[in-house]
Amino acid sequence: MSFEAGARVRVKARDPDHHTRVPRYVRGHTGVVLTAIDRWPVPDDCARGIDPPREETCYAVRFSAADLWGSGDHAVTVDLWESYLDRA
Amino acid sequence: MTGHDDLPVAARTRQLEERLIAAGLTSDDEIDEFLTRLYTKASPVNGARMVARAWTDPRYRDLLLSDGDAGAAEMGFGDLTYGLRVVPNTGSAHNVIVCTLCSCYPVSLLGPSPGWYKSFAYRSRTVREPRAVLAEFGLALPPDTGITVWDSTSEARYMVLPARPDGTGELAEDDLAALVTRNGLIGTALL
């Protein structure tokens, strides 16, 4: 599965007990894919010593401040690996 | 002058280094060599040169915005250890970079990051209320200027391409580069 620019995606609302690069403030929130940045090893796997780590596409995903915080007129863009996301 | 050695974070860092060394994962020499390599050429002059080129050469601007690594390489910075993404400021759109998870930052192009960039206050507040944070930097943006905050959570590193100041049409590229500040490249200042 992969996401095209403009796709609406929801960040999985997980709270893993290992390292992850999903900031808490976007968990469970819906954003829009701006672009696929590159393919990189999944940090969650690297941190746990999983060898080889999964390698996935990482996306720049744009969230509106109003959705994240309930107020604000800015946007926040977060880089998220594919397995952090579901199609919304 | 207070040395960094006095800070609690320095003691924590040293403890972590000692654990890693004890585990055989690195050595003091290796850490010193890495830091020397990282910092000797790292300077905001590098990012400033790229910005000045982008202001004067539309082809380079397009390259820099579409493929930051290629843009950096063309200016002699081909050894980046990250994927560079450059985001352009315009009259109606302002960008600012942050790393909420730690303090990721394009060190080789912007130089060592300022202390405030690593502070909990900057990291937590910039995603929540960037307009207020920027105002505290003395940057009062018009209400109709849209703000995008870039949280550096991946192997990509972000750099802002500031808008070219008015009245600089006659300046040569080197003189233009001298106008570019580190905070301008982070997005906490206009030029």
Side-chain angles (χ1 to χ4, degrees):
Chain A
M1 185 173 61
S2 64
F3 303 113
E4 70 285 358
R8 286 176 58 78
V9 290
R10 182 176 295 109
V11 185
K12 290 175 181 160
R14 290 184 307 200
D15 187 19
D17 55 14
H18 55 73
H19 173 81
T20 187
R21 294 275 190 88
V22 187
R24 284 184 190 277
Y25 70 89
V26 296
R27 292 180 194 176
H29 285 276
T30 299
V32 175
V33 170
L34 289 184
T35 188
I37 303 172
D38 204 341
R39 287 180 66 80
W40 287 308
V42 176
D44 308 49
D45 289 2
C46 298
R48 285 179 289 169
I50 295 172
D51 188 22
R54 287 169 291 167
E55 190 179 286
E56 293 180 358
T57 302
C58 183
Y59 299 89
V61 181
R62 182 181 180 94
F63 301 87
S64 82
D67 282 350
L68 293 178
W69 314 112
S71 64
D73 57 5
H74 60 284
V76 181
T77 299
V78 181
D79 298 345
L80 297 162
W81 273 260
E82 187 156 325
S83 57
Y84 297 162
L85 303 169
D86 289 317
R87 194 172 285 274
Chain B
M1 198 174 124
T2 306
H4 281 112
D5 295 352
D6 302 334
L7 298 174
V9 69
R12 276 159 55 195
T13 303
R14 185 59 203 156
Q15 267 182 348
L16 181 60
E17 286 175 358
E18 285 172 1
R19 291 288 298 273
L20 292 169
I21 291 165
L25 293 170
T26 186
S27 66
D28 272 322
D29 286 347
E30 191 176 56
I31 293 171
D32 284 346
E33 191 189 307
F34 174 81
L35 290 175
T36 301
R37 199 167 60 236
L38 183 65
Y39 285 119
T40 42
K41 293 181 187 166
S43 166
V45 170
N46 299 336
R49 285 182 51 215
M50 292 163 60
V51 166
R53 176 68 55 86
W55 284 345
T56 53
D57 178 349
R59 183 205 59 83
Y60 182 75
R61 178 188 161 91
D62 290 346
L63 175 68
L64 189 61
L65 294 179
S66 63
D67 185 343
D69 287 359
E74 196 170 299
M75 295 294 284
F77 313 115
D79 53 355
L80 300 185
T81 54
Y82 44 82
L84 179 67
R85 287 177 39 82
V86 180
V87 288
N89 283 351
T90 66
S92 59
H94 185 83
N95 297 283
V96 58
I97 62 174
V98 66
C99 172
T100 60
L101 296 179
C102 43
S103 55
C104 295
Y105 184 87
V107 171
S108 56
L109 301 178
L110 269 61
S113 59
W116 53 258
Y117 187 83
K118 299 174 248 188
S119 70
F120 287 119
Y122 180 79
R123 289 161 48 203
S124 56
R125 290 184 58 217
T126 300
V127 288
R128 177 71 183 83
E129 47 174 6
R131 221 172 272 278
V133 171
L134 295 176
E136 289 170 27
F137 278 92
L139 175 51
L141 292 171
D144 57 346
T145 298
I147 299 177
T148 301
V149 181
W150 300 85
D151 189 357
S152 312
T153 53
S154 75
E155 321 311 343
R157 297 291 178 271
Y158 286 84
M159 182 174 93
V160 172
L161 174 58
R164 181 172 175 165
D166 293 334
T168 57
E170 303 301 312
L171 292 184
E173 199 174 311
D174 284 352
D175 297 325
L176 288 170
L179 301 175
V180 181
T181 61
R182 180 188 64 189
N183 283 20
L185 298 168
I186 299 172
T188 50
L190 297 178
L191 304 182

